[in-house]
């Protein structure tokens, strides 16, 4: 076990080696699909086994961190090291990333069997896995940023996998560009911290943040958070994630579950000492953690409100992911202020563990839900839920696992992982006395509604599709096995956070937050008020979905309700016109400025200044060359004429005017 811990960096190396071998094999033989599958699965399996070993080694060690580093380069007095660090948070993330990645790759064996470019696909999956593992293992800001950017590049390759499909290329470019906007702020924040502390190492930076001027630290923290706004699809940079559905469905499961979008949540948790120390108010009494919570709250409610009207099954799940990420950000922004003689001295994170707990459970049930969607699309050849219905009879395994995931994300009380993690989220907001508690409750009602709406429209009622019913069936075991495996933690993973879990196995013990002097309160039992709200939330959301879509004779007509609430329904259907606003800005402002820039560059800078100067020089030269006749008489006559003109000017013009 000690050997595994001391060589934790190998977790990332296994997928990297697999990726290099895949691309090398593809360069020799482009039809090496089976070899690419084998190499990718082998690399990820080894990474998973190593991650499990690291996770077992971390049990019972809530505060100890193990790290290693090697010097890469020296610039003046600064030594930059390639380093890695393992603590309980990174050990948990390594396990989740490798587990989900392996199941997605197994699922892809059947799902992508008849596609072209399978070797390229598995190579990009291995690069994606390596990038995320590098990000998690990083012990300094620059290596974190390197993994961060590699995740963006590899996601671009995967989203745009269908190169002959224009929508896929557009979605890949949109994801890449929108993420660059967030990453720019992230990079500036890193540069500020490096300039102020002289280090990129997490431990050194967090140890010296108390020496930074309060406003400088607050600005750096906000800029750092701009990276997760892009990567974790928070408002207003959430627009790329639903469009990323143009990639293969297994890619959607990987991006939405435990890798790319989870990177922002992981980063905020990893750098929580920085965010919690930025106690200087930006606007009145508004703190950086308030900003994080507010962005998360707006994202959670906005995305949930959009999801309730979408008909594309993958887009419903995409907006669900955006909303759930908003829940996690809300929790991470919850705090308990500690005062000394009336002065704010410390912010105690109340939702640190709740946000990470929900990240863990969400990884399982959201990966399963996307893979269920892939099975349905694979069977009916359509993404549209109005062309589905009644599939439970033909696809029982897919229906059962989708129901488990739907129940979990909706918070079915006591028996699902999502209930326990969502209860922790609400409890953190309740303890913080945040008004966002009620916003979160409303978003949770919408979550239960749109998820059961998805289940009822897809699996219950009569089949409405165009494909013959006898052709409908569950997929093969390569696709069914990951669904059944993921169903287990989707239901049971929440039991590591119940009031009845043994202390040594409890997530509060495993992910103990130790920075600062005051410990966050931990409830040993369920809080009745929060429990009642959780029960009401589930019953309202699921009950309304059943009344509109699940009952044989709907108690409420979706069409009539849409007509009565037409302005709100239209706004939700058109995603509150946010994408339209971005398109307007890009088309008229950005492209308008680009056209003006093109005109200035082509006709003024190049045309008048550069080319004009050249033409003037040529014209002048061509004219003056005729004065160079080589005849002395001509030069003498010219000199005499100039002298005469000067004399005439001198005598004829008044001396005062000349002077």
């Amino acid at each position: 076990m000690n050997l595994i811990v001391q060589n934790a960096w190998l977790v990332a190396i296994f997928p990297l080696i697999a990726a290099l071998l895949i691309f090398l094999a593809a360069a020799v033989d482009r039809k090496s699909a089976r070899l690419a599958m084998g190499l990718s699965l082998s690399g990820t399996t080894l990474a998973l086994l190593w991650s499990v070993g690291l996770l077992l080694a971390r049990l019972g060690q809530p505060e100890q961190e193990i790290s290693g580093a090697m010097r890469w380069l020296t610039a003046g007095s600064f030594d930059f090291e390639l380093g890695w660090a393992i603590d309980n948070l990174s050990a948990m993330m390594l396990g989740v990333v490798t587990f989900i990645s392996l199941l997605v790759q197994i699922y892809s064996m059947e799902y992508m069997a008849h596609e072209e470019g399978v070797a390229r696909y598995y190579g990009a999956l291995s690069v994606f896995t390596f990038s995320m593992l590098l990000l998690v293992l990083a012990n300094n800001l620059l290596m974190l940023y390197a993994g961060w950017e590699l995740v963006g590049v590899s996601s671009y390759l995967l989203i745009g996998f269908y190169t002959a499909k224009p929508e896929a290329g557009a979605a890949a470019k949109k994801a890449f560009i929108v993420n660059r906007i967030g990453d720019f702020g992230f990079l500036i924040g890193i540069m500020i911290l490096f300039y102020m502390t002289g280090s990129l190492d997490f431990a050194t930076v967090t140890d010296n943040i108390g020496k930074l001027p309060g406003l400088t630290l607050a600005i750096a923290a906000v800029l750092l958070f701009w990276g997760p706004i892009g990567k974790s699809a928070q408002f207003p940079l959430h627009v790329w994630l639903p469009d990323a559905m143009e990639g293969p469905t297994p890619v959607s499961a990987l991006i939405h579950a435990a890798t790319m979008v989870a990177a922002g949540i992981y980063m905020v948790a990893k750098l929580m000492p920085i965010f919690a120390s930025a106690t200087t108010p930006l606007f009145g009494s508004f703190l950086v953690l308030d900003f994080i919570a507010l962005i998360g709250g707006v994202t959670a409610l906005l995305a949930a409100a959009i999801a309730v009207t979408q008909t594309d099954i993958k887009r419903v799940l995409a907006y669900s992911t955006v909303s759930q990420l908003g829940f996690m950000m809300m929790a991470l922004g919850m705090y308990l202020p500690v005062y000394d003689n009336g002065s704010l001295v410390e912010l105690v994170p109340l939702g640190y563990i709740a946000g990470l707990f929900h990240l863990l459970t969400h990884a399982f049930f959201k990966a399963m839900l996307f893979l269920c969607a892939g099975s349905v699309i694979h069977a009916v050849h359509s993404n549209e839920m109005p062309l589905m219905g009644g599939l439970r009879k033909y696809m029982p395994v897919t229906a059962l696992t989708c129901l488990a995931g739907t129940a979990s994300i909706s918070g079915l009380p006591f028996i699902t992982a999502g209930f326990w993690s969502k209860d922790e989220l609400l409890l953190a907001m309740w303890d913080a006395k945040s008004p966002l508690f009620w916003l979160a409750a409303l978003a949770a009602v919408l979550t239960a509604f749109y998820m059961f709406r998805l289940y009822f429209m897809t699996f219950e009622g009569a089949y409405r599709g165009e494909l013959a019913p006898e052709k409908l069936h569950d997929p093969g075991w390569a696709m069914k096995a990951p669904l059944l495996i993921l169903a287990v933690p989707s239901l049971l993973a929440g039991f590591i956070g119940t009031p009845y879990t043994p202390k040594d196995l409890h997530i509060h013990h495993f992910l103990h937050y130790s920075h600062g002097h005051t410990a966050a309160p931990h409830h040993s039992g369920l809080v009745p008020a929060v429990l009642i709200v959780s029960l009401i939330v589930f019953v309202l959301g699921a009950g309304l979905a059943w009344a509109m879509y699940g009952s044989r004779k709907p108690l409420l007509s979706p069409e009539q309700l849409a007509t009565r609430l037409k302005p709100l329904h239209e706004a939700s259907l058109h995603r509150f016109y946010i994408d339209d606003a971005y398109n307007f800005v890009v088309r008229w402002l950005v492209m308008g400025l680009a056209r003006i820039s093109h005109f200035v560059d082509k006709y003024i800078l190049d045309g008048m200044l550069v080319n004009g100067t050249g033409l003037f020089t040529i014209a002048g030269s061509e004219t003056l060359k005729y004065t160079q006749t080589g005849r002395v008489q001509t030069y003498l006559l010219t000199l005499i004429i100039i002298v005469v003109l000067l004399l005439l000017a001198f005598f004829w013009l008044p001396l005062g005017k000349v002077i």
Side-chain angles (χ1 to χ4, degrees):
M1 191 66 71
N2 187 56
L3 177 66
I4 293 176
V5 173
Q6 296 301 327
N7 295 279
W9 52 274
L10 285 172
V11 172
I13 297 301
F14 292 135
L16 176 62
I17 294 174
L20 295 175
L21 291 176
I22 289 170
F23 291 131
L24 180 62
V28 176
D29 179 11
R30 293 189 176 183
K31 297 183 179 180
S32 55
R34 298 180 75 76
L35 177 60
M37 287 182 189
L39 289 170
S40 184
L41 286 166
S42 299
T44 308
T45 300
L46 289 172
L48 174 60
L49 294 175
W50 212 271
S51 298
V52 171
L54 290 169
L55 191 59
L56 293 175
R58 297 302 308 170
L59 292 176
Q61 301 181 37
E63 297 183 8
Q64 181 184 1
E65 179 181 275
I66 301 173
S67 61
M70 59 175 288
R71 182 181 298 176
W72 182 37
L73 58 85
T74 300
S77 59
F78 175 70
D79 291 330
F80 178 69
E81 296 180 332
L82 294 176
W84 56 269
I86 289 291
D87 57 11
N88 288 8
L89 172 58
S90 57
M92 182 190 80
M93 282 299 299
L94 290 174
V96 172
V97 170
T98 52
F99 179 66
I100 300 295
S101 181
L102 180 60
L103 291 178
V104 166
Q105 291 183 31
I106 293 172
Y107 184 94
S108 299
M109 292 172 62
E110 181 178 342
Y111 191 90
M112 302 294 292
H114 302 293
E115 300 285 353
E116 295 183 1
V118 173
R120 173 168 55 90
Y121 172 81
Y122 273 96
L125 280 181
S126 293
V127 173
F128 192 99
T129 304
F130 159 73
S131 304
M132 190 65 194
L133 295 176
L134 176 67
L135 186 155
V136 173
L137 282 169
N139 74 334
N140 62 72
L141 289 167
L142 193 56
M143 282 194 65
L144 174 68
Y145 189 75
W148 191 272
E149 291 300 313
L150 283 171
V151 166
V153 171
S154 50
S155 67
Y156 169 82
L157 298 175
L158 289 168
I159 295 169
F161 173 76
Y162 295 122
T163 54
K165 189 178 179 183
E167 296 84 357
K173 287 187 290 185
K174 185 175 183 179
F176 191 80
I177 292 170
V178 172
N179 274 277
R180 296 293 71 72
I181 296 171
D183 295 352
F184 179 72
F186 186 18
L187 180 60
I188 299 299
I190 291 174
M191 293 170 65
I192 292 174
L193 290 178
F194 175 66
Y195 178 78
M196 298 302 295
T197 64
S199 176
L200 294 167
D201 182 72
F202 290 147
T204 305
V205 170
T206 52
D207 287 343
N208 288 279
I209 52 178
K211 302 175 183 178
L212 271 66
L215 184 58
T216 302
L217 179 59
I219 293 172
V222 170
L223 288 170
L224 287 175
F225 180 62
W226 199 245
I229 287 178
K231 195 71 73 183
S232 290
Q234 299 295 286
F235 175 83
L237 299 182
H238 65 284
V239 292
W240 68 269
L241 193 57
D243 288 357
M245 297 301 95
E246 296 296 340
T249 301
V251 170
S252 302
L254 191 61
I255 289 176
H256 286 249
T259 49
M260 184 173 179
V261 296
I265 307 298
Y266 173 80
M267 183 274 241
V268 173
K270 190 76 174 179
L271 303 182
M272 181 56 72
I274 296 176
F275 296 111
S277 299
T279 56
T280 297
L282 292 178
F283 307 102
S285 59
F286 195 63
L287 304 174
V288 174
L289 286 180
D290 290 317
F291 177 65
I292 292 174
L294 181 61
I295 291 293
V298 171
T299 303
L301 185 59
L302 177 71
I306 295 174
V308 298
T309 60
Q310 302 303 304
T311 57
D312 184 317
I313 188 171
K314 288 178 66 177
R315 282 192 177 272
V316 174
L317 293 175
Y319 279 108
S320 170
T321 298
V322 175
S323 182
Q324 296 303 305
L325 292 167
F327 275 104
M328 299 173 209
M329 284 298 185
M330 261 196 292
L332 291 174
M334 294 297 113
Y335 62 87
L336 176 69
V338 178
Y339 295 92
D340 184 15
N341 295 324
S343 299
L344 180 64
V345 295
E346 185 181 358
L347 300 179
V348 180
L350 292 176
Y352 173 83
I353 293 175
L356 294 173
F357 186 20
H358 197 60
L359 173 65
L360 175 67
T361 60
H362 177 264
F364 298 128
F365 56 67
K366 184 51 63 69
M368 182 177 64
L369 286 167
F370 265 107
L371 296 183
C372 287
S375 296
V376 171
I377 294 168
H378 193 260
V380 303
H381 306 297
S382 174
N383 289 29
E384 291 296 317
M385 294 187 296
L387 298 179
M388 299 175 188
L391 296 182
R392 178 169 58 87
K393 182 168 58 174
Y394 310 103
M395 308 177 68
V397 174
T398 304
L400 182 62
T401 52
C402 184
L403 180 59
T406 298
S408 190
I409 193 174
S410 303
L412 178 63
F414 306 115
I415 62 172
T416 60
F419 166 77
W420 296 108
S421 60
K422 193 165 290 187
D423 186 75
E424 284 281 346
L425 295 174
L426 294 173
L427 183 57
M429 298 173 209
W430 181 267
D431 285 341
K433 297 179 175 59
S434 172
L436 291 177
F437 173 86
W438 301 108
L439 185 147
L442 176 58
V445 171
L446 295 177
T447 301
F449 171 76
Y450 68 68
M451 284 308 306
F452 273 98
R453 169 181 177 264
L454 179 150
Y455 175 79
F456 290 136
M457 288 185 70
T458 304
F459 295 102
E460 301 297 337
Y463 175 62
R464 302 177 296 274
E466 299 175 354
L467 200 65
E470 58 269 15
K471 294 184 178 180
L472 302 175
H473 56 82
D474 271 320
W477 278 106
M479 291 172 64
K480 282 194 297 189
L483 296 179
L484 294 170
I485 292 171
L486 285 167
V488 176
S490 295
L491 297 174
L492 302 181
F495 288 96
I496 62 172
T498 74
Y500 317 106
T501 304
K503 179 181 178 182
D504 291 342
L505 299 177
H506 204 286
I507 193 167
H508 277 270
H509 177 70
F510 186 74
L511 294 180
H512 179 66
Y513 181 81
S514 59
H515 193 271
H517 303 288
T518 308
H522 170 51
H523 298 272
S524 57
L526 293 170
V527 175
V530 177
L531 177 60
I532 291 171
V533 170
S534 295
L535 296 174
I536 293 174
V537 159
F538 177 80
V539 171
L540 276 178
L544 185 60
W546 178 83
M548 294 176 67
Y549 300 97
S551 176
R552 291 187 178 182
K553 293 182 179 180
L555 304 180
L556 289 173
S557 170
E559 292 77 15
Q560 291 181 2
L561 192 60
T563 302
R564 291 180 181 178
L565 303 174
K566 186 174 181 179
L568 188 59
H569 179 269
E570 287 294 317
S572 171
L573 192 61
H574 292 89
R575 297 174 281 184
F576 289 96
Y577 304 101
I578 296 172
D579 289 81
D580 296 326
Y582 277 126
N583 290 335
F584 177 83
V585 169
V586 170
R587 183 177 302 163
W588 295 105
L589 180 60
V590 177
M591 296 305 296
L593 290 174
R595 292 187 188 98
I596 294 172
S597 176
H598 174 72
F599 176 84
V600 171
D601 182 65
K602 183 176 181 179
Y603 295 104
I604 297 179
L605 296 180
D606 278 349
M608 296 180 63
L609 295 181
V610 178
N611 296 335
T613 301
L615 290 173
F616 178 78
T617 304
I618 293 172
S621 302
E622 289 292 330
T623 302
L624 291 174
K625 75 179 183 181
Y626 293 108
T627 65
Q628 305 301 312
T629 63
R631 296 179 180 180
V632 176
Q633 299 93 324
T634 303
Y635 300 153
L636 184 61
L637 177 62
T638 303
L639 180 62
I640 292 171
I641 292 172
I642 292 173
V643 170
V644 170
L645 291 173
L646 290 174
L647 288 173
L648 290 173
F650 180 76
F651 287 110
W652 285 2
L653 293 175
L655 185 61
K657 290 184 179 181
V658 174
I659 296 173

